[in-house]
Amino acid sequence: MSKIGEFLIIVLVVLAFLLLLGGVGIWLLVKLGKKAAVKARQATVRLSTHVNAMGTGDAAEVERLRLDLRREVTLTRQAIEHAQRQGWGLGDLPRLMADLSAQADVHDGQLGMYAQQRRMSSFADHATLDRLRQHQAKLTAMCARIRADLMSDQVQHTATGIDDLNARTDLEIEARRHAPDPLDQIDELYRRTMEERKDLP
């Protein structure tokens, strides 16, 4: 009777363990499925933006503005991340980039709404489009200024590194040269003196 009880306990423990593993597996699958759905939605939005940008008219122009803005923000973010990996002092620039990215997202949403409305309606709101273009120009100019400043820093860091390497190269080459032997110099002087005496009448 006790052997049957032990066997049942072992079977129940194994079943509980399998149920626990199954629950964790289902939870992971649901979590991965949600992430995949978000990624798929983002990819769909990007693809539709690219397709819509190929057309003509105001809506296509606005979609191109969206693509330009995304590219500018991405390039600027990559430049800042590169500078952070190099250990440069960036001050408040990463926080500024976060604020700039948030503002670019807001502007991207406004551009998307304008493009959608423009595709669905023949009415053209040129005043709003002009303001969106102005905002776009300011945001892309800020991104370009940040990248230019980071590039200037990078060139300065590189110049410092090259100058240091040049100085070390000169020192190493000088250290590898053999110092002249004083005895050889004395012998050379003695030989010259003897030759000069022979030349005298």
Side-chain angles (χ1 to χ4, degrees):
M1 194 71 159
S2 65
K3 287 184 178 181
I4 293 175
E6 288 176 8
F7 178 73
L8 286 176
I9 290 174
I10 291 172
V11 168
L12 289 175
V13 167
V14 168
L15 285 176
F17 183 70
L18 290 175
L19 284 173
L20 180 65
L21 281 179
V24 169
I26 290 172
W27 179 76
L28 284 174
L29 286 174
V30 167
K31 191 166 184 166
L32 287 174
K34 286 181 180 178
K35 281 187 179 180
V38 168
K39 294 280 187 188
R41 194 175 309 118
Q42 291 172 348
T44 303
V45 168
R46 271 191 231 115
L47 180 63
S48 67
T49 301
H50 280 280
V51 170
N52 290 333
M54 292 180 196
T56 58
D58 290 343
E61 178 193 351
V62 169
E63 295 293 355
R64 286 191 291 275
L65 290 176
R66 293 178 76 188
L67 292 174
D68 289 343
L69 181 63
R70 289 175 190 170
R71 184 179 60 249
E72 291 290 326
V73 170
T74 301
L75 288 172
T76 308
R77 187 179 300 117
Q78 288 172 350
I80 288 176
E81 289 169 358
H82 174 73
Q84 284 177 320
R85 283 193 301 273
Q86 298 296 323
W88 302 350
L90 296 178
D92 203 30
L93 202 53
R95 179 69 189 137
L96 176 68
M97 186 63 214
D99 293 342
L100 180 62
S101 294
Q103 189 62 49
D105 289 341
V106 169
H107 183 65
D108 182 69
Q110 291 171 348
L111 289 171
M113 284 191 322
Y114 182 87
Q116 183 180 15
Q117 290 173 8
R118 189 66 185 95
R119 279 191 298 271
M120 298 172 89
S121 169
S122 59
F123 172 73
D125 184 2
H126 293 294
T128 301
L129 181 58
D130 287 341
R131 286 179 35 213
L132 289 172
R133 286 180 184 140
Q134 291 170 4
H135 294 167
Q136 170 88 7
K138 288 178 183 176
L139 288 169
T140 54
M142 282 186 273
C143 289
R145 286 172 46 207
I146 290 170
R147 287 197 315 275
D149 183 62
L150 289 173
M151 182 60 76
S152 175
D153 279 357
Q154 183 178 9
V155 170
Q156 181 61 39
H157 281 282
T158 302
T160 303
I162 289 172
D163 291 342
D164 179 52
L165 189 60
N166 190 33
R168 285 176 46 209
T169 302
D170 291 343
L171 288 173
E172 185 61 30
I173 289 173
E174 190 63 35
R176 289 179 49 80
R177 288 187 182 147
H178 297 294
D181 188 0
L183 292 176
D184 290 341
Q185 289 178 337
I186 291 171
D187 285 345
E188 179 66 23
L189 284 173
Y190 178 75
R191 187 181 58 72
R192 282 189 198 160
T193 305
M194 293 307 287
E195 286 176 359
E196 288 174 1
R197 282 187 185 168
K198 283 180 186 176
D199 292 340
L200 289 175

